[in-house]
Amino acid sequence: MRSHYCGELNTSFIDQEVTLCGWVHRRRDHGGVIFLDLRDRNGVTQVVFDPDTQDAFNLADKVRNEFVIQVTGRVRHRPEGTVNPDMKTGEVEVLGSALEILNTAATPPFQLDEHVQVGEDIRLKYRYLDLRRPEMLEKLQVRARLTSIIRHYLESNGFMDIETPILTRATPEGARDYLVPSRTHPGEFFALPQSPQLFKQLLMMAGMDRYYQIAKCFRDEDLRADRQPEFTQVDIETSFMDEYAIMGMAEGLVRQVFDDLLGVQLGDFPRMTYQEAMQRFGSDKPDLRIPLELVDIDQLVKDAEFKVFNGPANDAKGRVVALRLPNGANLLTRKQIDDYGKYVGIYGAKGLAWIKVNDLSQGVEGLQSPIVKHIESQVMAVMEAVGAENGDIVFFGADRAKVVNEAMGALRLKLGEDLNLYTKEWAPLWVVDFPMFEDASEGNLTPLHHPFTAPACSVKELQEHPEQALSRAYDMVLNGCELGGGSIRIHQQDMQQVVFNILGISEVEAEEKFGFLLSALKYGCPPHGGLAFGLDRLVMLLTGANSIREVIAFPKTQSAACLLTDAPGEVDSKQLRELNIRLRKSTAAE
């Protein structure tokens, strides 16, 4: 029905006859000449109808926005003074000679262009219209090009695209599973995969050597700006490569993506240990564009009379930090400081102490804050430790280490965003040397990643000091966003059994849940490892989107007009009751 896409036309097509199909983006009537901006997924072309072609002109007069039409005409230069440099086709237009209305359209509920100002609930309700907007179309085109680049890069490096099952058994991935009732096994349920983790390890045991998959994954979690229950990840696994080789391969992939799509050279990927990241930034995914750091002052304030500080400073699980904001006294009002105090409360902080540095030469008298009198003997040493200068504000966090890290890490990001403190556009890094385990309730240990991550120590060392063990895990971070993460996996049965023992998984339970894996480890399992990239997050960074809902076609949201079934269909009431009981037990256990 068409000879070309709208966005293809340029001056090389001058005097050629073309046939275009698409939607009317905008209609204008200028003194008896009708202009139609015709839009398809490739772009927009201006089509002109004048009274010399009477039939086409009369039809064009009836056309309205979002009508679907077919146009035939001759490509010509735009008249002098009417060239639009902001359009790919801005130097040309089509003089229409024939027009057919393929379908009419009601007035859309919102304007379908970059100027749309309408609530997300309306946009999601009419998602098929929202996707017509060039802004949304561009993001999906970036996504499509991205997956093509990824496939080409991985396949040129010897990786095979292999599908893994969607209906499977539950695995410990750190979130709740979506359960699907089985018709052929009444009372039993499949779980939708949180990741293909165990399957890709089995593929390594099967000798596939280099596997990848652009995989759909499912986690029964609350919606967030950068996460939804149904998401896509680029899943990679390989044998006979250590973590340094895998990180190098992954760096190459991300470099190529940014070069091809944005023309950006990402530069070096520095490596930072988990411990250093938490100490300096309060986060295991620090945004290195922001030149603010946390400074530990526990030793300086442990003898202070101020209980807010000396309590956490003398607690093995506590932490006291300072965060210096250069020139903060001139940047922030008292109201803004109070607002930041409320902000850190979201993360469990009981308040936000601060000191304004007016004049260091006056000593304590040159400092302004309600807390100065409580730490008068220590405050100048604190100012020296953080490198304070006149005009600065120093913020403080004091509580359990987890609360301090989350609250002050979030404050650091908030200040960076609000005050535009970014020193560069892109800041990639690897975070490495994660702990194997973290403390859970009642003193039990849980895996920081998953129980198949290899420790960076021997079996004997792991048994004797599990709380000190580091893992061979690594996360790629870009601008404070975790793009992907992975690890070297356990490939020996005795090591896997020790990890299960530390986690309190009995031999009976291990055999029941992971017997197939333990069995496979007996038959010559190669050293292997891998990682997974969050495709949606990567597209968000590439397009500057604020939400994951902006970079996928049909997001799963509470306000979207999703295709949900109202009736249970062939699932009988007994199955549904059992499902609800299991879900309630799962929720109660959490």
Side-chain angles (χ1 to χ4, degrees):
M1 294 182 68
R2 61 183 166 203
S3 61
H4 298 84
Y5 281 99
C6 294
E8 291 181 44
L9 302 185
N10 54 43
T11 54
S12 67
F13 291 87
I14 296 298
D15 291 331
Q16 291 188 30
E17 184 173 88
V18 297
T19 299
L20 308 174
C21 293
W23 287 263
V24 176
H25 191 60
R26 189 176 292 108
R27 176 188 177 279
R28 306 182 303 281
D29 190 337
H30 290 175
V33 178
I34 297 174
F35 294 85
L36 301 180
D37 289 343
L38 188 62
R39 183 192 72 241
D40 61 21
R41 76 171 201 182
N42 198 255
V44 177
T45 290
Q46 178 174 281
V47 184
V48 183
F49 292 92
D50 60 39
D52 292 341
T53 53
Q54 190 65 46
D55 292 343
F57 182 84
N58 291 339
L59 268 179
D61 191 48
K62 299 177 182 178
V63 163
R64 295 295 180 268
N65 286 2
E66 299 309 309
F67 275 32
V68 186
I69 64 173
Q70 180 190 55
V71 171
T72 299
R74 180 175 58 84
V75 181
R76 68 181 187 183
H77 287 286
R78 287 199 185 192
E80 188 175 348
T82 65
V83 171
N84 186 346
D86 297 327
M87 291 177 60
K88 283 196 304 182
T89 60
E91 295 183 274
V92 300
E93 62 185 17
V94 174
L95 178 61
S97 58
L99 183 151
E100 180 179 354
I101 297 176
L102 302 176
N103 210 341
T104 61
T107 302
F110 53 87
Q111 193 173 334
L112 304 184
D113 60 22
E114 66 277 11
H115 304 296
V116 61
Q117 295 291 333
V118 65
E120 189 178 63
D121 55 338
I122 299 298
R123 288 176 51 204
L124 291 173
K125 180 178 180 181
Y126 298 97
R127 187 62 161 182
Y128 45 88
L129 296 178
D130 188 41
L131 292 177
R132 292 184 191 174
R133 295 192 302 118
E135 181 183 4
M136 286 300 302
L137 176 61
E138 181 182 0
K139 290 182 173 65
L140 293 183
Q141 288 173 330
V142 168
R143 188 186 183 95
R145 290 172 60 198
L146 172 62
T147 56
S148 178
I149 293 168
I150 289 171
R151 289 184 185 280
H152 181 267
Y153 178 89
L154 292 174
E155 289 172 11
S156 66
N157 281 276
F159 286 83
M160 288 193 295
D161 182 4
I162 304 176
E163 291 185 353
T164 55
I166 291 295
L167 297 175
T168 180
R169 67 163 56 192
T171 58
E173 296 285 345
R176 286 182 296 188
D177 293 302
Y178 279 108
L179 302 180
V180 180
S182 169
R183 178 185 62 82
T184 54
H185 298 82
E188 298 296 321
F189 301 86
F190 296 106
L192 299 181
Q194 295 183 37
S195 85
Q197 179 62 44
L198 292 177
F199 289 110
K200 65 181 181 179
Q201 288 192 242
L202 291 173
L203 287 171
M204 295 304 101
M205 298 169 191
M208 296 298 102
D209 193 71
R210 296 191 177 192
Y211 140 95
Y212 86 93
Q213 181 182 189
I214 297 179
K216 273 288 184 148
C217 302
F218 308 85
R219 294 186 179 183
D220 189 3
E221 297 180 327
D222 294 334
L223 295 167
R224 305 180 195 175
D226 65 344
R227 182 180 296 177
Q228 66 162 20
E230 176 184 321
F231 61 97
T232 306
Q233 69 183 34
V234 182
D235 207 52
I236 299 170
E237 198 80 3
T238 180
S239 299
F240 307 112
M241 289 176 70
D242 63 18
E243 51 265 58
Y244 306 105
I246 293 173
M247 286 190 281
M249 177 273 300
E251 277 184 35
L253 171 58
V254 174
R255 288 181 198 277
Q256 182 161 336
V257 163
F258 274 77
D259 190 12
D260 289 357
L261 292 177
L262 299 182
V264 168
Q265 306 297 319
L266 283 182
D268 294 334
F269 282 65
R271 292 174 187 169
M272 181 181 297
T273 67
Y274 171 87
Q275 181 179 3
E276 181 184 354
M278 297 303 294
Q279 183 176 357
R280 294 172 58 191
F281 307 108
S283 170
D284 60 359
K285 47 181 184 294
D287 189 340
L288 297 187
R289 298 174 300 166
I290 302 171
L292 304 180
E293 295 193 19
L294 308 184
V295 177
D296 283 295
I297 59 169
D298 306 70
Q299 294 304 311
L300 297 177
V301 298
K302 65 180 182 179
D303 297 323
E305 296 179 3
F306 195 32
K307 290 184 179 180
V308 173
F309 282 6
N310 69 32
N314 289 284
D315 184 345
K317 295 185 177 180
R319 190 180 185 195
V320 185
V321 302
L323 176 66
R324 169 182 168 246
L325 176 62
N327 199 35
N330 299 315
L331 295 173
L332 300 180
T333 65
R334 179 58 189 268
K335 181 183 182 305
Q336 288 174 307
I337 294 173
D338 291 341
D339 287 343
Y340 285 123
K342 297 175 184 176
Y343 179 75
V344 296
I346 298 172
Y347 300 89
K350 300 179 182 66
L352 181 63
W354 54 270
I355 293 177
K356 269 188 182 181
V357 183
N358 295 327
D359 187 353
L360 282 174
S361 66
Q362 297 183 21
V364 176
E365 297 300 320
L367 305 178
Q368 178 186 346
S369 170
I371 72 166
V372 170
K373 61 184 178 183
H374 300 295
I375 57 171
E376 194 167 338
S377 301
Q378 298 84 16
V379 68
M380 295 311 295
V382 170
M383 294 298 104
E384 182 180 355
V386 301
E389 298 178 0
N390 292 342
D392 293 349
I393 288 182
V394 181
F395 294 102
F396 298 90
D399 207 311
R400 289 177 293 111
K402 185 175 187 299
V403 172
V404 170
N405 289 337
E406 291 182 358
M408 298 303 287
L411 176 64
R412 175 181 175 273
L413 296 179
K414 183 70 171 167
L415 290 169
E417 179 182 3
D418 291 350
L419 302 177
N420 193 24
L421 302 178
Y422 302 118
T423 59
K424 59 183 76 173
E425 186 175 5
W426 303 102
L429 81 152
W430 286 103
V431 179
V432 298
D433 292 345
F434 287 85
M436 268 294 288
F437 309 105
E438 60 182 345
D439 288 330
S441 59
E442 300 178 357
N444 297 323
L445 295 177
T446 59
L448 192 65
H449 285 85
H450 55 65
F452 317 111
T453 300
C457 62
S458 67
V459 170
K460 184 175 183 294
E461 291 170 325
L462 184 65
Q463 287 175 315
E464 292 177 351
H465 302 289
E467 71 287 348
Q468 299 177 13
L470 299 180
S471 68
R472 299 175 68 183
Y474 36 83
D475 282 357
M476 180 185 285
V477 178
L478 182 62
N479 293 0
C481 175
E482 181 191 329
L483 276 189
S487 66
I488 299 299
R489 324 301 186 187
I490 296 171
H491 71 281
Q492 295 170 320
Q493 189 182 33
D494 58 344
M495 180 67 82
Q496 186 66 75
Q497 191 62 63
V498 168
V499 170
F500 285 160
N501 292 341
I502 292 170
L503 296 175
I505 300 174
S506 67
E507 291 189 17
V508 174
E509 184 181 1
E511 184 63 34
E512 179 185 350
K513 291 184 175 180
F514 311 110
F516 60 95
L517 177 68
L518 295 172
S519 175
L521 290 172
K522 298 177 184 178
Y523 296 101
C525 175
H528 61 284
L531 77 165
F533 288 108
L535 186 71
D536 308 315
R537 290 184 182 179
L538 188 51
V539 180
M540 284 179 64
L541 281 171
L542 289 166
T543 61
N546 295 317
S547 164
I548 199 171
R549 295 182 290 279
E550 296 292 325
V551 299
I552 53 181
F554 298 104
K556 173 75 171 81
T557 77
Q558 294 168 333
S559 58
C562 299
L563 301 177
L564 299 176
T565 179
D566 293 322
E570 296 185 15
V571 180
D572 61 35
S573 58
K574 178 182 177 183
Q575 284 178 287
L576 290 176
R577 283 196 303 273
E578 291 178 350
L579 174 60
N580 286 329
I581 291 170
R582 291 191 184 192
L583 289 176
R584 284 198 297 272
K585 288 182 177 178
S586 174
T587 303
E590 293 185 355

